[in-house]
Amino acid sequence: ARGRGKPRIQFNVEAQDALGLCGVVQRVPVALAAEAYAVDLAPVFGGGDEGAFDGLDFGLCRVVDARTATLDIVNSGLYEVGYEVRYRRRAIEALVRVVQTQPPPVEGEQARIPPGGKITLEGHFKSEQEVSLDAAPDIRVHFTEPLTGEALANLTLPLKVKARSVFSRYALVPSRGVSFGPLFVGTDKTRTFEISNAGEFEWNFAIQGAPLDEDTPRTAATSRPKTGMFAPRSEGKVTGTTLTIGAFVISPCTGTVQSGASQTVTVKFTAGAAAKAFMET
């Protein structure tokens, strides 16, 4: 067949003797009917918006964040069509799973697309590390004849996948702490350090004092001989956005830093009336 149609023909089967002496002794009418049809499937990406990416676009996300993307497959044909989702690489299957959400699939039955209807496939993406998927057709939807399970030749839907997962990144300047050097008793000095967002997402920060029972660089320092001049450690106290730990006042101690931006943090040290060495972590 070269096109759709339902051709019908009718003819007679006649029976007679081999020499034709008796003429036609029996005539049987025979009717033949056939149908030529085409499988008419069409994917709909991005809700049908013009210029939508022809695949699953999960966009940019943080590592371990979950993202979803959907597509519809419309069956404009006369008969239902089976389908199966296959992954070209195990690495892709570990990152992306495609499932049917509408109509809800029937457990234990072959996935099918009804005639004149559609299904919605939903892709789920999640990565435990930084990943970049650049529109490679690593997922394919294969279509089959439901009754026989036979694959429909030359009828495969490649699904491109776009996704990028990244870690949040930061930088501290100076990176080795803040040193005030020696001060006269009863005086104070102010220093600053900078927290920079070197990543692609905003993040929140909170500055806290280390637990009193936690080993810190100060712990190692106070365990050395002849170092009995250290002031005792104290728990931090937060008032608004200001953190006070012993002789140090840190502000702001909380905040949000946008991508590509930075936050300057001020640290004020006030020397007490007695000569002591101070260190907090």
Side-chain angles (χ1 to χ4, degrees), residues 247-258:
F248 301 93
V249 179
I250 304 167
S251 179
C253 62
T254 60
T256 300
V257 183
Q258 302 293 327

Side-chain angles (χ1 to χ4, degrees), residues 14-90:
E14 298 177 343
Q16 60 181 342
D17 63 284
L19 297 178
L21 298 178
C22 299
V24 176
V25 296
Q26 187 179 11
R27 180 178 290 110
V28 179
V30 177
L32 293 180
E35 180 181 7
Y37 71 94
V39 177
D40 191 355
L41 299 169
V44 179
F45 300 101
D49 294 340
E50 185 177 355
F53 174 67
D54 56 340
L56 298 174
D57 188 356
F58 298 101
L60 176 67
C61 63
R62 297 180 180 89
V63 170
V64 309
D65 280 357
R67 288 293 180 90
T68 60
T70 62
L71 76 144
D72 296 331
I73 301 179
V74 179
N75 181 3
S76 300
L78 300 175
Y79 300 98
E80 66 179 2
V81 176
Y83 77 91
E84 179 184 359
V85 178
R86 298 179 185 176
Y87 305 85
R88 299 183 65 184
R89 295 184 292 147
R90 288 186 177 181

Side-chain angles (χ1 to χ4, degrees), residues 2-209:
R2 298 191 178 186
R4 302 180 184 182
K6 295 182 178 181
R8 296 179 62 88
I9 62 172
Q10 188 167 343
F11 58 90
N12 295 323
V13 177
E14 298 177 343
Q16 60 181 342
D17 63 284
L19 297 178
L21 298 178
C22 299
V24 176
V25 296
Q26 187 179 11
R27 180 178 290 110
V28 179
V30 177
L32 293 180
E35 180 181 7
Y37 71 94
V39 177
D40 191 355
L41 299 169
V44 179
F45 300 101
D49 294 340
E50 185 177 355
F53 174 67
D54 56 340
L56 298 174
D57 188 356
F58 298 101
L60 176 67
C61 63
R62 297 180 180 89
V63 170
V64 309
D65 280 357
R67 288 293 180 90
T68 60
T70 62
L71 76 144
D72 296 331
I73 301 179
V74 179
N75 181 3
S76 300
L78 300 175
Y79 300 98
E80 66 179 2
V81 176
Y83 77 91
E84 179 184 359
V85 178
R86 298 179 185 176
Y87 305 85
R88 299 183 65 184
R89 295 184 292 147
R90 288 186 177 181
I92 292 297
E93 189 173 2
L95 296 172
V96 182
R97 296 295 298 172
V98 178
V99 297
Q100 180 179 325
T101 57
Q102 293 294 331
V106 178
E107 187 176 355
E109 292 189 7
Q110 179 189 12
R112 302 182 181 189
I113 310 173
K118 71 175 183 179
I119 62 168
T120 298
L121 298 181
E122 186 173 79
H124 298 260
F125 171 82
K126 185 177 181 180
S127 173
E128 302 292 335
Q129 58 187 354
E130 289 194 327
V131 169
S132 180
L133 304 177
D134 191 17
D138 287 320
I139 301 175
R140 294 178 180 270
V141 181
H142 293 261
F143 299 100
T144 61
E145 207 292 317
L147 295 179
T148 63
E150 179 184 359
L152 298 176
N154 303 318
L155 193 60
T156 301
L157 173 63
L159 290 181
K160 300 176 183 178
V161 180
K162 288 176 64 176
R164 192 159 68 91
S165 60
V166 296
F167 285 111
S168 294
R169 288 182 166 82
Y170 72 93
L172 293 177
V173 179
S175 61
R176 296 190 175 184
V178 179
S179 176
F180 289 88
L183 270 76
F184 287 109
V185 295
T187 62
D188 59 64
K189 181 182 289 188
T190 298
R191 298 283 194 192
T192 62
F193 66 92
E194 189 173 82
I195 305 174
S196 299
N197 185 344
E200 299 183 63
F201 289 96
E202 70 174 21
W203 40 252
N204 300 326
F205 73 90
I207 302 173
Q208 301 174 334

Side-chain angles (χ1 to χ4, degrees), residues 209-233:
L212 297 181
D213 58 351
E214 180 177 306
D215 287 338
T216 66
R218 173 209 169 104
T219 306
T222 55
S223 64
R224 298 169 189 159
K226 301 180 182 180
T227 55
M229 295 293 291
F230 275 95
R233 291 187 62 196

